[in-house]
Amino acid sequence: MPAPSSSSTPAASPAVTAPAPSTAEGPRAGSASGSGSGSGSGSGLGPVALVISAGISVQFGAALAVMIMPRAGAAGVVTLRLAAAALVLLLLCRPKVRGYSRSDWGTVLAFGVAMAGMNGLFYQSIDRIPLGPAVTLEVLGPLVLSVVVSRRLVNLLWAGLALGGVVLLSGHGGGGLGFGSLDPLGAAYALGAGAMWAAYIVFSARTGRRFPQADGLALAMAVAAVVSLPLGVAEAGSNLLVPSTLALGLGVAVLSSVLPYTLELLALRRMPAPTFAILMSLEPAIAATAGFLVLHQAMSALDALAIALVIAASMGAVRSQIRKKAA
C-alpha cells in the first residue's frame, strides 16, 4: 500500500522523481529525513534488499490490516495505524512547534489531510477488493502525476501501457480477480487513494523543504491521526480499546510505517533516489504476493499480466524522467 511514508520527500512512488526537487511515500524517504538523495553508491545488493524488504513489510502490513478489519472495520484500522505511527514518530522525532510560519503549518496540515485520505480510501478499497488489484489501481495516481509533471511525449506511451493493463483487467470478468469481477466501489476507492497518493507526494516534498529531518512527517502523521479519529470511533467504537485489537493495530503500524521508514531511510543513504523510485514500482507485485500468501487471494494469468504492464509503465516513466534530468 501506500503506507504513510516515513519521510518528507517524494521518494516512494513511481512519480517520485517528477515533482520532487531531489528525488515517492517525498513520502517514504528522502532529503527531509536526512538521507542521501542520490549520492550513495547504489550498486550493491544491500540497499536493494532493504527497499524490497520495506515493500514486503508495507504490503504484508496491509494484509494484516485486512485480517483485523472484522474487529474494527476499515476506518477503525486506519485510526489505529495512524495513531500508533504518530505516537512512535512524535516520540522519536520530538519535533519543534515554534518558529514556523502560517504557510508552513498550512503545508503540513495539507500533507496530513492527504495522508489521512490516502490511507482511509486505500483501506476502504482492500476491505472490498483483493490487495494486488487495489495497489495496481492506486499506483496509477503517482504515475499520472509523473506524466503530467514531465511533459514528455514518451511518458504518454507509458501511461497508455498502464491503461492497457487496467483495461485488460477491467475486461476480464471470469473466475479470477480481475477488476471486471470486483466491487466497483472498491475499485473507485483505490483510484481515489491513488489521487490522494499523488497529492501526498506533492505536499510531502513541500513539507520536506520547510521542516528539518522527519519533523514534518511526524507532525503530519499526528494531523492524519486526528482527522481519521472521528471516523474510526464512529465505526468501531469501544472495539478500538480491546487489548488484542490494539496490539494488532500496533503491528500494522510497525509493519506499514515504522519498519519500512527505517529500512528505506537506510537504503537511501546508499542508493540514488531514482533507483529507489524504480524499485518502489514493484509494489503491485509484492501486494499481489502478500494477498496470495496471507489472504489466499489467487491470481489468474491475465491478472498477473495486467499488473506486470502497470509495473513496466511505472518503471518506464521513472527511467524516462532520469534520462531527462541527465540530459
Side-chain angles (χ1 to χ4, degrees):
M1 146 179 189
S5 318
S6 310
S7 92
S8 303
T9 62
S13 77
V16 137
T17 56
S22 61
T23 45
E25 252 164 50
R28 293 169 57 153
S31 60
S33 57
S35 66
S37 59
S39 58
S41 59
S43 58
L45 292 179
V48 172
L50 289 173
V51 174
I52 293 177
S53 297
I56 292 173
S57 182
V58 167
Q59 301 307 335
F60 276 79
L64 176 60
V66 172
M67 297 176 67
I68 65 175
M69 281 178 185
R71 297 174 177 231
V77 173
V78 171
T79 295
L80 287 173
R81 173 188 167 173
L82 292 179
L87 180 61
V88 170
L89 286 172
L90 289 173
L91 289 175
L92 290 177
C93 299
R94 300 180 182 276
K96 297 179 180 179
V97 295
R98 295 183 179 179
Y100 297 111
S101 67
R102 182 177 299 179
S103 177
D104 293 336
W105 285 111
T107 299
V108 84
L109 179 64
F111 185 21
V113 170
M115 189 185 300
M118 177 182 70
N119 282 275
L121 291 169
F122 179 76
Y123 278 72
Q124 289 292 338
S125 174
I126 61 175
D127 192 31
R128 292 168 172 82
I129 65 176
L131 187 58
V135 175
T136 303
L137 279 175
E138 184 195 27
V139 84
L140 295 179
L143 178 59
V144 169
L145 177 63
S146 178
V147 171
V148 170
V149 173
S150 70
R151 299 178 183 177
R152 299 190 71 200
L153 182 60
V154 67
N155 273 2
L156 290 178
L157 298 178
W158 295 122
L161 182 63
L163 181 61
V166 173
V167 170
L168 181 62
L169 280 174
S170 64
H172 172 215
L177 293 177
F179 298 150
S181 62
L182 298 180
D183 179 355
L185 183 59
Y189 277 133
L191 290 172
M196 295 305 294
W197 192 357
Y200 169 75
I201 290 171
V202 172
F203 286 109
S204 169
R206 294 179 183 179
T207 300
R209 292 193 291 266
R210 293 170 181 265
F211 292 82
Q213 302 300 321
D215 286 12
L217 174 70
L219 293 169
M221 190 75 76
V223 171
V226 171
V227 170
S228 69
L229 184 61
L231 297 175
V233 171
E235 180 169 355
S238 60
N239 289 337
L240 291 175
L241 301 178
V242 175
S244 59
T245 303
L246 284 172
L248 289 170
L250 178 61
V252 172
V254 171
L255 285 174
S256 297
S257 299
V258 179
L259 181 58
Y261 163 58
T262 303
L263 294 175
E264 290 166 0
L265 182 63
L266 292 173
L268 274 167
R269 287 174 176 167
R270 303 161 59 190
M271 169 187 289
T275 304
F276 175 84
I278 292 174
L279 289 173
M280 288 308 304
S281 300
L282 295 173
E283 286 214 359
I286 298 174
T289 302
F292 174 74
L293 294 176
V294 179
L295 304 173
H296 308 294
Q297 296 173 342
M299 272 200 316
S300 70
L302 279 178
D303 296 332
L305 175 59
I307 290 174
L309 289 177
V310 175
I311 291 173
S314 299
M315 289 183 171
V318 173
R319 290 183 66 85
S320 65
Q321 194 70 11
I322 295 171
R323 294 193 185 99
K324 177 184 176 181
K325 288 190 174 184

